[in-house]
Amino acid sequence: MRLGTTEMILILVLALVLFGGGKIAGVGKALGQSIREFRSEVKGEKTSGL
């Protein structure tokens, strides 16, 4: 089952209403950072960390 454009827009609008813009931005930032760390670990690079 594939999601069309209309369904994706509806899901995004519902997420925005439920969580608010700031929360969604934070989740996106955390997801991006996780993906970058995963890729660097797969490549065998050392991460500086916090």
Side-chain angles (χ1 to χ4, degrees):
M1 181 172 153
R2 292 188 177 187
L3 294 177
T5 305
T6 306
E7 290 87 2
M8 292 297 289
I9 291 172
L10 181 62
I11 291 169
L12 290 173
V13 168
L14 285 174
L16 185 61
V17 169
L18 290 175
F19 300 112
K23 185 86 165 182
I24 292 175
V27 169
K29 180 179 177 183
L31 181 62
Q33 183 177 3
S34 298
I35 291 170
R36 280 191 303 275
E37 289 178 5
F38 176 77
R39 286 181 180 167
S40 68
E41 291 295 325
V42 168
K43 290 180 181 178
E45 299 173 0
K46 300 253 182 185
T47 57
S48 60
L50 293 175

